[in-house]
Amino acid sequence: MPQTAPQGRPPVSVYGTLSALAAIMFFGFMTIGMPLPVIPVYVHKTLGYGAVTVGVAVGIQSFVTLLLRSFAGRTVDTRGPKAAVLTGLCGCATAGAFYGVAALMNVPSASLAVLLAGRVVLGFGESLILTGGMSWGIGLLGPSHASKAISWQGIAMYSALATGAPVGAYLLQEAGFGIVALVTIALPVIAFGLALRVPAAPAAGGKRLPFHRVVGLVWRPGLAMTLGSIGYAVIAAFITLFYASRGWSGAAFALTLYSGCFIGMRVVFAHAIDHFGGKRVAMLSLIFNVVGQGLLWSAGHPHMALAGAALTGIGFSLVFPALGVEALKSVPAQSRGSALAAYSAFFDLALGLIGPMAGFVASAFGYSSIFLCGAMGGLAAIAMIARLPKPPLSDAEPAKGDALASTAPATREPGA
């Protein structure tokens, strides 16, 4: 039988809530995934700008997202995750409106300026829906389901990015940039409607920590996650060039295999973090990651490279949620949004720094050498995780001292 919710709250279905939030994140992040292949083509071929401008147009969104992590965490902690997500979705729809205005202009410089404004607004929206989505799931279901909340959001995000890119490219080719803009407006509107139907998470009372203090509490799992992300980043950025340097075909299949293993692990084994703990799952996962990167480094045949890509996908899949759970143990419940924002910023940092650094390594030592760096990063991450300090008992055991646990509604599994 479902538990009786405190203060008259109805029982909350774990997987029903996770599915609803995942749908919101999927439509929200489609807004981010669709422009990825579209913006470079539009800026270069339609507006006539070069590679540097293309890079700015693509990268400015992620830069803004990183800069606004503190703002997003504070918004989630003070206004609540539902309000943060709704505001972020409005930002995503506004970005689509900017794209539409840019498409209507006949002056390339004006179109570019409006487009860049849209990319800035999209970075604002992404920062809020990313942090708010994770916090919303944890707030509704309680800290015992934190790993599921983070994992399911990751599945929705990666699925949206993988789906959005080809959809965006198809719409640009068949209907033009204006249609891409209209769809970019419609998708967050759909997500907004879904979000209105999901109850708000109860707020956690108490004094909130300054963001710099939160960063000081979560930097160890955050840095370990950054080191463990090297394998993911180098596969995403360089697997195609690595295959080409060996004269092999099938790089796209390697990416597909990596993504399939990544998502499959999230779906099937997300509960393992709850049973075995974030540290154990992260360390075991990174062992697979290290082996996968080692296979890619030493690959003398495409099949060996495919096995390496698959093992890397298996190995990195649970690292982010597992270490995220460890990061949350270090902060009080009323600063959980800031903790998720600070922790996620380490992943932003990884994606921003690893690509250029790996490019320098590949130029000096060849493309296979970047996978050796990925393996070494995984080993360093394992060593850091093993030395993570034990959190205070009240934070480590939410049932005894977690303010959020005491205010979360009762949960039930489907069919309970």
Side-chain angles (χ1 to χ4, degrees):
M1 296 177 62
Q3 301 174 11
T4 302
Q7 300 177 348
R9 288 184 178 273
V12 176
S13 167
V14 173
Y15 290 106
T17 300
L18 291 174
S19 298
L21 293 176
I24 295 166
M25 292 302 111
F26 178 82
F27 286 112
F29 273 89
M30 278 283 285
T31 310
I32 297 164
M34 280 182 53
L36 289 177
V38 172
I39 298 297
V41 176
Y42 178 71
V43 172
H44 178 60
K45 292 188 175 181
T46 303
L47 301 183
Y49 289 94
V52 174
T53 305
V54 169
V56 171
V58 173
I60 192 171
Q61 174 207 323
S62 298
F63 181 70
V64 171
T65 299
L66 177 60
L67 289 180
L68 292 179
R69 286 297 189 195
S70 173
F71 165 79
R74 186 169 61 253
T75 300
V76 169
D77 288 333
T78 56
R79 294 180 55 202
K82 180 174 182 175
V85 170
L86 291 174
T87 303
L89 291 171
C90 290
C92 292
T94 303
F98 273 106
Y99 297 163
V101 173
L104 294 174
M105 290 181 166
N106 295 321
V107 180
S109 59
S111 293
L112 178 65
V114 174
L115 177 70
L116 291 177
R119 299 295 288 166
V120 169
V121 174
L122 188 62
F124 162 82
E126 181 187 358
S127 67
L128 288 172
I129 63 175
L130 182 64
T131 304
M134 289 186 287
S135 300
W136 200 353
I138 297 170
L140 286 175
L141 302 176
S144 62
H145 295 286
S147 62
K148 293 189 184 75
I150 298 173
S151 295
W152 278 58
Q153 173 157 318
I155 293 169
M157 285 171 49
Y158 286 107
S159 299
L161 295 175
T163 305
V167 169
Y170 173 80
L171 290 176
L172 179 67
Q173 180 178 349
E174 298 296 325
F177 187 64
I179 298 299
V180 174
L182 288 176
V183 176
T184 304
I185 296 172
L187 289 169
V189 170
I190 295 172
F192 192 96
L194 294 173
L196 290 176
R197 299 167 62 89
V198 180
K207 185 178 180 180
R208 293 172 176 84
L209 299 176
F211 191 72
H212 70 274
R213 291 257 333 258
V214 175
V215 173
L217 293 172
V218 306
W219 75 267
R220 290 180 177 86
L223 182 57
M225 186 267 297
T226 298
L227 292 169
S229 302
I230 295 176
Y232 159 76
V234 296
I235 283 185
F238 293 103
I239 191 68
T240 302
L241 295 175
F242 170 66
Y243 265 63
S245 71
R246 297 295 179 92
W248 298 340
S249 60
F253 183 64
L255 283 171
T256 301
L257 187 61
Y258 168 86
S259 300
C261 290
F262 180 98
I263 294 174
M265 284 291 295
R266 283 274 179 106
V267 172
V268 178
F269 291 105
H271 66 281
I273 301 171
D274 298 328
H275 289 290
F276 301 107
K279 287 179 64 172
R280 291 180 181 177
V281 171
M283 293 175 69
L284 180 61
S285 296
L286 284 167
I287 291 173
F288 284 92
N289 184 80
V290 169
V291 174
Q293 290 290 286
L295 286 175
L296 283 162
W297 170 54
S298 59
H301 190 277
H303 290 166
M304 195 172 176
L306 288 176
L311 285 174
T312 301
I314 291 170
F316 183 65
S317 179
L318 297 179
V319 171
F320 186 93
L323 291 176
V325 169
E326 293 301 310
L328 290 176
K329 292 178 179 179
S330 304
V331 297
Q334 58 268 25
S335 295
R336 185 164 281 116
S338 294
L340 288 170
Y343 175 69
S344 299
F346 282 93
F347 189 59
D348 295 333
L349 189 66
L351 296 183
L353 293 180
I354 291 172
M357 293 173 65
F360 283 116
V361 172
S363 298
F365 304 104
Y367 285 107
S368 62
S369 62
I370 61 177
F371 301 115
L372 177 60
C373 292
M376 294 172 64
L379 290 173
I382 292 172
M384 279 200 70
I385 295 167
R387 296 171 61 95
L388 285 178
K390 187 175 181 180
L393 185 61
S394 60
D395 293 326
E397 297 184 13
K400 296 183 180 180
D402 196 312
L404 183 59
S406 64
T407 59
T411 59
R412 61 178 173 85
E413 304 295 338

